[in-house]
Amino acid sequence: MGKTKRRNKGGGGTSKSGGGSNGNGNGGGGWSHEEHNARIDAHMATLTKKCLKKGQSVSETLEKGYKRTALAHDNADKIDSKKLHLVIVKTKREVDALRERLRTWDDAEEKKRQEEEIRREEEKKRKAMEEASGIKKKKRGRLGPET
């Protein structure tokens, strides 16, 4: 027996769902319901044949596949460890920046930096007060088409 031919996804076929083109001149977007079922049936037939050859159970083979899929994706612990790693890296960068500031300490520059910080904080407070009181700033810029 020979191998079955593989189908290209979205290759026109009997798909009733119009849609875009996949670049090969055939229309059709995704697979239709019949194409999905045919593909699943072909997959199950191949899997059953392989399992009979090896003397394994089809259900056990399917479970192993699901386990592999689950292991391929991140679980909650792995996601938490990635978040923690990002926080650690960010903190290390901040420490390095502070360390560099200490190495090249200049009183005049530090005074300027503090004044700039105070000015930014006051600006934030002023904007928050304006938003709370309902005063809207007039928008500037191009108002409409030029005639």
Side-chain angles (χ1 to χ4, degrees):
M1 299 190 110
K3 290 190 174 182
T4 60
K5 289 186 179 180
R6 293 185 180 237
R7 288 193 211 169
N8 290 334
K9 184 176 177 185
T14 59
S15 177
K16 294 181 181 179
S17 65
S21 171
N22 61 359
N24 63 4
N26 297 336
W31 289 359
S32 68
H33 183 70
E34 293 83 24
E35 288 171 326
H36 275 289
N37 286 338
R39 181 67 192 119
I40 290 171
D41 292 341
H43 176 67
M44 289 303 294
T46 306
L47 186 67
T48 306
K49 199 182 296 182
K50 283 182 182 178
C51 288
L52 287 175
K53 236 182 213 182
K54 292 180 181 180
Q56 297 174 342
S57 168
V58 176
S59 60
E60 287 178 6
T61 306
L62 283 174
E63 285 178 15
K64 287 179 186 176
Y66 290 129
K67 285 179 185 174
R68 278 195 304 269
T69 303
L71 291 173
H73 297 286
D74 293 344
N75 56 16
D77 293 336
K78 202 168 187 181
I79 292 170
D80 288 342
S81 69
K82 284 181 182 180
K83 285 181 184 177
L84 186 61
H85 176 69
L86 288 174
V87 170
I88 290 170
V89 168
K90 183 180 176 185
T91 308
K92 282 182 181 178
R93 287 182 183 157
E94 290 173 357
V95 167
D96 289 341
L98 288 172
R99 192 172 287 142
E100 186 60 31
R101 267 179 65 191
L102 283 174
R103 279 194 202 123
T104 60
W105 186 265
D106 185 16
D107 288 332
E109 191 176 311
E110 288 300 316
K111 191 174 181 181
K112 264 189 208 176
R113 190 184 302 249
Q114 283 180 344
E115 288 173 357
E116 183 70 25
E117 265 185 51
I118 291 170
R119 190 183 61 76
R120 272 191 249 130
E121 288 176 10
E122 288 174 356
E123 185 72 22
K124 283 182 185 177
K125 287 179 185 176
R126 187 181 59 79
K127 284 184 180 179
M129 292 293 289
E130 285 178 0
E131 287 178 9
S133 65
I135 299 172
K136 291 186 180 179
K137 217 175 191 183
K138 189 175 181 181
K139 291 186 180 179
R140 295 185 182 182
R142 186 168 180 251
L143 300 176
E146 297 175 321
T147 54

